[in-house]
Amino acid sequence: MSSLSGKTALVTGAARGIGRAVAVRLAAEGAAVAVNYRGSAEKAEETAEEIRAAGGSALTVQADVSDQKSVQEMFSRVLGEFGHLDILVNNAGITRDALLIGMKEEQFDAVIDANLKGCFFCMQEAAKKMIRQRSGRIISISSFSGIHGNAGQINYSASKAGIVGMTKTAARELSGRNITVNAVAPGFVDTDMTAVLSDKVKEAIFAQIPLKRIARPEEIAAAVAFLAGEDAGYITGQVICVDGGLSI
Ligand code: NAP
């Protein structure tokens, strides 16, 4: 029997990138997975098809995580289908990079709304259900930028540092109900988000990574799967850095 068999999971932003790798990995471990997307309906269906082709169970669910009503409707749909929710992975995220003095309020708000408020709305809905179940796992994707900062990402690093604070607070509030809350902080991962960086910027970044390469999305998914599994039952309020040694 796979380690997550009988469990259910909701992964936000699972149409592509890290979210897709997480959804596929949790399904491979036996979980039935709800694949959330905002605009990428076709790609979300591809994720679900990949899961089904491997013998797993998946449904796709549209929602903009920065919109509370949309999140509440997503949870109603997912809980209606699954009946219970064991694992929430807060993965959805965006960047709108600019240096501090040039950052526009709209850029700042867009990133805080999607990355931080989105995580809060989903955590809140998941916690309501998990408290009644007296069990659950909440895993959120933070970032190296949220712990160490990154020039050009004043908005993004604030959102990702906020996720660390929310993770620790939710871990304290929910531990009495057998719910663990953790975060994974990737460094640089090979997805659409980093594809926009110039070769010059990428080279400069790789030179600073002790392992001298960018991560594959599957390497982030492996850490998420560990935190979702039985072996991580005594770990809560933690941030696992999966960054090739960047934060050493
Ligand atoms: P990506 O390839 O750009 O994918 C982002 C995903 O988030 C997309 O599926 C997108 O959905 C979804 N999304 C964005 N805003 C959303 C919203 N308001 N509601 C619902 N879904 C939304 O990014 P990625 O690299 O896989 O990143 C995934 C997570 O890891 C993010 O939180 C990111 O900050 C974090 N991270 C990434 C890196 C990296 O190097 N790539 C490093 C550290 C942390 P649609 O396609 O449907 O719009």
Side-chain angles (χ1 to χ4, degrees):
M1 195 164 72
S2 303
S3 61
L4 297 180
S5 88
K7 306 279 187 197
T8 65
L10 166 60
V11 184
T12 66
R16 51 201 173 92
I18 295 169
R20 176 182 285 198
V22 169
V24 167
R25 174 67 191 260
L26 296 181
E29 303 271 347
V33 179
V35 173
N36 159 254
Y37 66 97
R38 178 188 49 180
S40 305
E42 270 181 36
K43 287 191 172 296
E45 200 45 51
E46 278 173 27
T47 305
E49 274 307 313
E50 188 177 338
I51 289 170
R52 292 180 199 123
S57 173
L59 67 97
T60 58
V61 55
Q62 196 282 332
D64 177 346
V65 297
S66 66
D67 177 339
Q68 190 171 28
K69 192 161 169 284
S70 182
V71 168
Q72 287 168 342
E73 285 167 2
M74 170 171 70
F75 272 81
S76 295
R77 160 110 200 273
V78 170
L79 291 171
E81 294 276 344
F82 288 162
H84 61 113
L85 183 70
D86 302 299
I87 302 155
L88 166 68
V89 182
N90 286 306
N91 165 80
I94 59 168
T95 52
R96 294 285 184 275
D97 294 354
L99 292 171
L100 169 62
I101 58 170
M103 176 74 62
K104 304 267 185 294
E105 187 178 357
E106 306 82 75
Q107 291 171 294
F108 193 86
D109 287 348
V111 169
I112 295 296
D113 286 353
N115 298 9
L116 187 59
K117 275 175 86 176
C119 183
F120 160 64
F121 291 147
C122 291
M123 245 187 209
Q124 190 174 52
E125 292 308 309
K128 287 178 194 167
K129 183 67 182 169
M130 289 173 178
I131 284 170
R132 288 196 298 274
Q133 292 171 181
R134 295 186 180 274
S135 70
R137 298 287 167 92
I138 299 174
I139 301 144
S140 303
I141 308 298
S142 177
S143 170
F144 173 87
S145 303
I147 299 167
H148 300 278
N150 194 26
Q153 294 197 313
I154 197 87
N155 50 358
Y156 183 81
S157 56
S159 73
K160 295 298 183 178
I163 285 177
V164 173
M166 288 203 312
T167 295
K168 289 174 188 286
T169 294
R172 287 183 186 276
E173 290 188 13
L174 301 175
S175 56
R177 301 300 176 101
N178 189 31
I179 300 163
T180 68
V181 189
N182 292 290
V184 172
F188 289 87
V189 189
D190 190 9
T191 68
D192 295 344
M193 189 174 273
T194 48
V196 295
L197 299 173
S198 71
D199 287 345
K200 199 173 154 215
V201 169
K202 280 187 194 164
E203 271 169 36
I205 290 166
F206 295 170
Q208 291 170 38
I209 301 173
L211 284 175
K212 300 289 175 217
R213 66 172 178 86
I214 196 165
R216 290 180 291 109
E218 291 75 16
E219 292 174 307
I220 312 307
V224 173
F226 167 68
L227 289 169
E230 283 301 313
D231 286 346
Y234 201 60
I235 299 174
T236 196
Q238 302 304 307
V239 183
I240 298 187
C241 296
V242 185
D243 61 6
L246 196 56
S247 56
I248 292 171

